[in-house]
Amino acid sequence: MTGRTKPLVLKKYEILMLYLKRSFPRFKDVEKEYKKRKKGYEGELQVDYHLDLLSHQFLILRDICLSVQGRTFQIDNLIITQNAIFIVEVKNYQGTIIFDTILDQFTRDNGKLETGFSHPVSQAELQRLHLQQWFQERNYPTIPIYSFIAISDPSTIIKVEGDREEIAKVVAHGANIPRKLVEINKQLPAHAALQDRKIGTVIQKESKEYEIDIMKRHDVKMSDLLPGVQCPACKVLGMERIYNNWQCRKCNYRSPNAHEQALTDYMLIGNMWITNSNCRWWLQIDSRNTVTRLLKKSKLVYNAKRRRWEK
């Protein structure tokens, strides 16, 4: 079993929300996307609690990101047994969700507004086809692949208009997924390609961390960000450099290395390098020599030809 770590893209949004000026024209859009991804991650952690019950029997892989024919696809959970492979996608909705098998649509009613969303069952089926194709490209024999949609919030009401049995085969609250998975797995014969865990090793080796340029996606420029060092104690931005320490203007907390997180943040939101001038602005330091000393102690490498510090 592999543990779930906070997604890189969510980390980027956390950084962007810290530094982005509230006057940015599309601030609300960035905030909405951040909240959506945060909620999704929290839902995944809720479902992990239930899926962990299967970890002593089966191999559980999380946050898998693979490519097939140049296209990337993500899978929240991949459970490999000796008989089949199970995809478990997590959805975190509040209120009432309605699966309409007659019109093939999916909606959510939060008590105030009914909203349409991309159909989770169709998404899961597409992932199944992508994974099937991924195996075919590597000349694996046909492997049984099943998909589940795990609804993370136990208070969410699931309704079906049309074929209830069709939806019930695929959709359930997170707590019920392990039981449904085990029931299907018991009915299947052992599969030769799954008798060892080599497939899991191959998948893990080829899986990449999902990555997007959120600055580009929201058309954010560095000038749209507030520079400064965040206080590790009270989280306020704008610590002052006093001698060899950083001091918070609000709570007076002092730290010799608070700038390290600011540099990490700068590089993580899409920058592959930083100059001395950029760094002075970002850390709000006037002294070129002080910044040079700080950069020399960092994990960045100086490129003398381009006169900049790189990852």
Side-chain angles (χ1 to χ4, degrees):
M1 179 180 69
T2 58
R4 188 180 304 280
T5 56
K6 187 180 291 185
L8 176 61
V9 176
L10 176 56
K11 290 179 184 177
K12 288 186 173 188
Y13 272 103
E14 288 177 341
I15 294 167
L16 192 54
M17 288 301 298
L18 170 64
Y19 295 101
L20 187 62
K21 293 176 181 175
R22 298 309 184 256
S23 59
F24 179 68
R26 291 168 299 283
F27 179 84
K28 289 292 183 184
D29 293 337
V30 177
E31 185 179 43
K32 183 179 179 182
E33 186 63 24
Y34 161 65
K35 288 180 176 179
K36 175 186 168 185
R37 291 183 178 274
K38 183 172 181 284
K39 183 180 172 185
Y41 175 60
E42 289 168 350
E44 289 167 0
L45 292 177
Q46 277 184 285
V47 173
D48 285 350
Y49 174 80
H50 301 295
L51 295 184
D52 283 349
L53 295 171
L54 302 173
S55 62
H56 68 287
Q57 290 178 273
F58 312 129
L59 177 64
I60 303 176
L61 305 181
R62 292 175 169 132
D63 287 329
I64 296 300
C65 183
L66 301 170
S67 294
V68 60
Q69 293 188 342
R71 297 186 65 179
T72 299
F73 65 100
Q74 293 174 268
I75 296 174
D76 292 338
N77 300 280
L78 202 61
I79 301 175
I80 302 174
T81 77
Q82 290 188 321
N83 308 341
I85 292 178
F86 297 86
I87 293 170
V88 181
E89 281 302 293
V90 180
K91 298 296 178 184
N92 192 357
Y93 297 111
Q94 272 74 50
T96 300
I97 54 175
I98 304 107
F99 292 86
D100 188 333
T101 63
I102 301 167
L103 297 176
D104 196 25
Q105 67 180 15
F106 172 76
T107 55
R108 182 199 66 190
D109 187 342
N110 64 3
K112 297 177 182 178
L113 183 69
E114 190 168 345
T115 311
F117 291 90
S118 298
H119 205 301
V121 176
S122 300
Q123 291 176 337
E125 176 59 18
L126 186 60
Q127 286 174 320
R128 192 184 71 80
L129 293 173
H130 282 324
L131 185 59
Q132 210 168 49
Q133 193 172 8
W134 188 85
F135 283 131
Q136 287 171 356
E137 285 185 356
R138 284 149 190 80
N139 297 316
Y140 279 101
T142 302
I143 297 170
I145 304 173
Y146 295 84
S147 297
F148 288 116
I149 307 295
I151 307 302
S152 60
D153 191 335
S155 68
T156 301
I157 298 169
I158 305 170
K159 288 187 176 181
V160 179
E161 294 179 1
D163 193 338
R164 292 169 62 89
E165 286 188 17
E166 179 189 338
I167 297 300
K169 287 178 183 176
V170 183
V171 181
H173 285 106
N176 296 324
I177 294 294
R179 175 181 56 79
K180 293 174 79 72
L181 188 152
V182 169
E183 284 175 359
I184 291 175
N185 192 63
K186 282 180 179 176
Q187 297 170 19
L188 300 172
H191 195 286
L194 300 172
Q195 293 314 294
D196 52 42
R197 294 196 169 183
K198 287 183 180 177
I199 279 185
T201 303
V202 172
I203 290 171
Q204 283 180 293
K205 189 175 180 181
E206 291 204 28
S207 178
K208 307 295 182 185
E209 191 163 24
Y210 181 64
E211 167 80 290
I212 58 172
D213 186 340
I214 66 169
M215 296 280 282
K216 184 177 180 180
R217 178 173 182 172
H218 296 285
D219 196 25
V220 178
K221 308 292 188 294
M222 291 305 293
S223 57
D224 295 317
L225 304 182
L226 292 166
V229 175
Q230 185 185 36
C231 174
C234 70
K235 307 303 179 184
V236 166
L237 204 60
M239 296 184 85
E240 292 181 288
R241 183 73 180 174
I242 300 176
Y243 300 109
N244 292 322
N245 271 291
W246 294 94
Q247 184 165 324
C248 179
R249 297 172 183 175
K250 183 181 179 183
C251 71
N252 291 321
Y253 179 82
R254 301 188 77 183
S255 167
N257 54 10
H259 65 282
E260 292 176 0
Q261 186 60 52
L263 283 175
T264 298
D265 292 347
Y266 185 91
M267 306 304 283
L268 198 59
I269 53 178
N271 300 284
M272 300 302 293
W273 51 268
I274 190 169
T275 64
N276 189 290
S277 175
N278 294 148
C279 194
R280 275 180 278 149
W281 168 75
W282 186 244
L283 301 181
Q284 294 289 280
I285 297 176
D286 293 328
S287 170
R288 172 181 286 273
N289 290 335
T290 298
V291 165
T292 298
R293 284 199 303 272
L294 294 178
L295 287 170
K296 281 182 177 178
K297 292 179 182 178
S298 74
K299 295 179 181 179
L300 302 176
V301 178
Y302 185 63
N303 185 325
K305 186 177 180 180
R306 298 191 174 185
R307 301 178 68 180
R308 66 189 193 188
W309 297 80
E310 302 173 350
K311 285 184 180 180

